[in-house]
């Protein structure tokens, strides 16, 4: 499988335009697992958005307090900046990030051209089971309802795909790659 996608307009002597996939969805949807698999299979650089959160944001979430837009803005801008730096280096990326609202995705899109979204969606019951079963993550299951309320599915004018999280990670990854082609 090629590690770069060459857009139709790229000539034979031009460097392929980097692609930036943002794997989005609520906590527990499988963003990290699928994002890592996508990056591995496509040969893209991977980043986990949770690692960009300032300590104050993590503390809020650990205590069951949902983040507000003011909490998220500097975090989203840092993510867009990271993508922009990779784009300038000619490196394609996969970023696991909730990107729940359209306005958050608009900020992320400003980081670089070639941003595409992969929305991992599924039943709240399945996702709640996954959150409850996982260990060592700062996001408690109690915040799932606030994330589900905030979630704005991809608009028809947004470049991206939606994939159901019911199957296993390998099958989800296969479906994402097939849909993105």
């Amino acid at each position: 499988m090629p590690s770069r996608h060459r857009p139709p307009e790229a000539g034979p002597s031009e460097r392929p335009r980097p692609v930036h996939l943002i794997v989005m969805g609520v906590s527990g949807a499988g963003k990290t697992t699928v994002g890592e698999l996508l990056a591995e299979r496509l040969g893209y650089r991977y980043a986990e958005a949770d690692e960009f959160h300032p300590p104050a944001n993590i503390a809020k979430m650990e205590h069951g307090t949902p983040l507000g837009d003011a909490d998220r803005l500097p975090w989203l801008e840092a993510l867009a900046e990271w993508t922009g730096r990779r784009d300038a280096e000619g490196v394609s990326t996969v970023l696991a990030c909730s990107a729940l609202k359209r306005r958050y995705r608009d900020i992320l899109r400003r980081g670089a051209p070639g941003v595409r979204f992969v929305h991992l969606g599924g039943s709240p019951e399945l996702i709640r089971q996954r959150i409850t079963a996982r260990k060592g993550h700062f996001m408690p299951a109690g915040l799932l309802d606030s994330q589900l309320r905030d979630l704005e599915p991809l608009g028809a004018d947004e470049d991206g795909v939606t994939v159901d999280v019911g199957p296993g990670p390998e099958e989800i990854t296969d479906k994402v790659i097939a849909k993105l082609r």
Side-chain angles (χ1 to χ4, degrees):
M1 190 168 305
S3 64
R4 301 269 189 237
H5 295 293
R6 182 180 298 279
E9 66 275 3
S13 64
E14 294 178 34
R15 183 170 79 180
R17 181 91 229 148
V19 174
H20 306 286
L21 302 178
I22 298 179
V23 182
M24 63 169 278
V26 297
S27 184
K31 297 180 299 290
T32 299
T33 303
V34 172
E36 288 173 342
L37 284 169
L38 283 169
E40 180 182 314
R41 287 202 199 164
L42 298 171
Y44 292 1
R45 179 135 352 133
Y46 176 77
E48 170 58 57
D50 286 344
E51 295 176 8
F52 290 73
H53 273 299
N57 283 7
I58 292 173
K60 273 183 141 177
M61 289 184 281
E62 284 177 333
H63 290 96
T65 304
L67 298 180
D69 288 350
D71 299 313
R72 293 178 198 267
L73 184 60
W75 172 67
L76 292 164
E77 289 172 342
L79 295 171
E81 182 180 315
W82 180 85
T83 303
R85 284 195 310 268
R86 301 300 79 75
D87 190 74
E89 296 167 357
V91 174
S92 292
T93 64
V94 175
L95 175 64
C97 175
S98 54
L100 298 175
K101 296 181 181 181
R102 169 74 183 242
R103 66 179 167 265
Y104 301 166
R105 296 190 296 272
D106 289 343
I107 293 168
L108 294 168
R109 261 191 291 278
R110 289 194 302 243
V115 170
R116 300 184 76 189
F117 292 92
V118 175
H119 177 197
L120 300 180
S123 77
E125 297 78 24
L126 173 62
I127 293 171
R128 191 175 311 281
Q129 288 173 358
R130 289 180 177 182
I131 292 173
T132 304
R134 70 182 178 186
K135 308 280 186 250
H137 195 278
F138 60 82
M139 181 76 166
L143 289 181
L144 178 59
D145 290 335
S146 71
Q147 285 202 333
L148 290 168
R149 277 191 305 275
D150 285 348
L151 177 63
E152 297 171 3
L154 290 173
D157 62 332
E158 291 185 275
D159 190 1
V161 298
T162 299
V163 178
D164 180 71
V165 299
E170 294 285 342
E171 187 176 337
I172 295 168
T173 303
D174 291 342
K175 287 181 180 184
V176 168
I177 290 171
K179 283 186 166 195
L180 288 172
R181 291 215 162 136

